Structure formats: C-alpha cells, structure tokens
Amino acid sequence: MKPKLAFIYDVQHELRDGLWAALELLREDFDIQKHNLNDGDFTYPLVDICLGWGVFGSRVDQYITEVIDKKTNSGLCIGGVTAPNLSASRYKVLFYETNWYRPQIEQFDNIVHAFGVNTDIMKPIKFKTKVWDYITCGAFSLWKRQWLLTDRPGNRIAVGDIQVNNLTESMQIVAKLLANNVAVSNQVDEETLAKMYNLSDVCYIPSTVMGGGERAVQEARACGIKVEVEDDNPKLQELLESPIYDHHYYYRQLKSGLLSIL
C-alpha cells in the first residue's frame, strides 16, 4: 500500500507548472490528496506525510504548524525567500529552490534542492515569425518592477495578474506600461504562455530578489529563448546559468526527500 500524503497549498489560480507535474509523477509512489486553503476549510485526513508549499509565516506554514498533528511527518517546499521562523523546526525535510537561498536553512539537518518547470508544456515551438521583442511575466507588483520594460526597445508585452488585495499598486503599474506603448495581458494558461514565450525574442524578468521570477526564468529558457534579468538579482542570475530543471528532476528530488522522513 502506498504511503498517504496530504499536499497543502494556497493559491487563487491553479497552475499546471513544474510542481503540479512533479506531484502527478509522485502519485506512482504516494496516495496524494491535495488541499487548497484558498478553497476554505476541509477535514484533515489521516496521512503518513504532510507536504506544504509556501513561505515561512504563510497560511500554509501556519496551518501545518498549528492544525496538523505534531506526530505527522511534515515537509515544506519553500516557495519564496522569507527567512526561517520558529516553525521551521516542525519540518523533517525542507525543499529549497536555489543555492542563493540555501544558506538560510543550512542549520537544519535535512534540506533538499527541489525545483523544476513543466517541460511537457514549456518547450520550443517553431513559428515562422516573432511577434514581440520583449516579454515579461508576473503579477503586477512593485517587487516585479515591470515598468523597467518601458526602457527596452521594440514590441513589448507584460503578462500577469492584478493583485486583488492591492489593486491601486497593480493599476498604477499597468497604466505606466500602457502609457509607454507596452501591451498588457491578463494571466494566461500554461499552453498559451508557452506560445507567447516562443513568439518573443527575449524574456525580461526585472524582479528584485524578493519578487520571485524563478519559474519564469526557467520556463522561458526551456522554451529556447533568451532571458535577461537585472544585475542586482543574484538569485535569478543563478537560474540563468544553472541547468534547466524539469519536472522529472523535481519529482526525483521530492521523492528522495519524502522517503527520507518515513
């Protein structure tokens, strides 16, 4: 019988990204039940392992540390750059995405690199011509710094979602982009985004180190296009030079870490 695993996450939009694809592969080894905290309350099932995805201090972290039985083996996929808090000792395995972040958790005994993009979707597509010179991708927020795209020449497009809890900030960024002839698109599904990457010459991710962008950098690289980041972001610079981690690598790393705590 497969070990039972509860995957706890908190998102507004379901994505078929690298983590989703890795979890689908992980079903060969675990009986997985997914629970999105954004959907509301649920009855926590009896499982062998609880795996969360989120930053320290997030709703996911709080749920695991405050609700889940302390006897349940738990792990966390660290989806951000927040430093560990007192809850970190609750986890028997911590999964991190970049070597840039690793020093923040090196004091813990069981840390595993686990990251990747869904290369079943994010891959080169042959088009006869390009549409955009530059594309950027990410929520319209100050940490993403999309307005820097206005300094790039040619046809440009920014793809992302509006922050529902910070509407003013998002709309100010969108307004500046439109005023400088940068096209703006709402968030799109993965297949459409892969096509948009392939229809672009360069993917430009101007985020600060706090502004994410890890997945976008690797997805654009997987699509075979050039990627540019800012000089003040060593985290994303690392992902420009690293291997392109796919969902099969993500799966193997998750499996290894999870089996180590059974």
Side-chain angles (χ1 to χ4, degrees), residues 175-225:
K176 183 168 185 177
L177 292 170
L178 292 174
N180 286 273
N181 298 314
V182 177
V184 174
S185 167
N186 197 0
Q187 187 177 28
V188 296
D189 59 45
E190 282 73 18
E191 287 83 2
T192 301
L193 183 59
K195 292 176 182 177
M196 296 178 79
Y197 281 139
N198 278 279
L199 287 167
S200 305
D201 282 321
V202 180
C203 176
Y204 174 47
I205 306 297
S207 302
T208 69
V209 291
M210 299 295 291
E214 295 94 330
R215 181 165 56 87
V217 168
Q218 288 267 299
E219 286 182 345
R221 288 185 61 200
C223 288
I225 69 171

Side-chain angles (χ1 to χ4, degrees), residues 72-91:
T72 301
N73 295 320
S74 296
L76 182 69
C77 295
I78 306 169
V81 298
T82 303
N85 55 18
L86 293 177
S87 69
S89 60
R90 168 71 172 86
Y91 300 102

Side-chain angles (χ1 to χ4, degrees), residues 22-84:
L23 288 171
E24 290 302 299
L25 293 176
L26 205 61
R27 291 187 185 279
E28 293 293 325
D29 310 283
F30 294 88
D31 178 6
I32 299 177
Q33 301 179 53
K34 294 183 178 181
H35 300 284
N36 185 355
L37 297 183
N38 192 63
D39 293 337
D41 295 334
F42 62 89
T43 301
Y44 178 70
L46 294 176
V47 295
D48 300 295
I49 296 178
C50 178
L51 176 65
W53 184 87
V55 299
F56 293 107
S58 65
R59 286 211 303 169
V60 170
D61 180 39
Q62 292 173 1
Y63 186 89
I64 293 175
T65 56
E66 297 174 6
V67 177
I68 303 302
D69 190 318
K70 296 295 189 292
K71 296 179 181 179
T72 301
N73 295 320
S74 296
L76 182 69
C77 295
I78 306 169
V81 298
T82 303

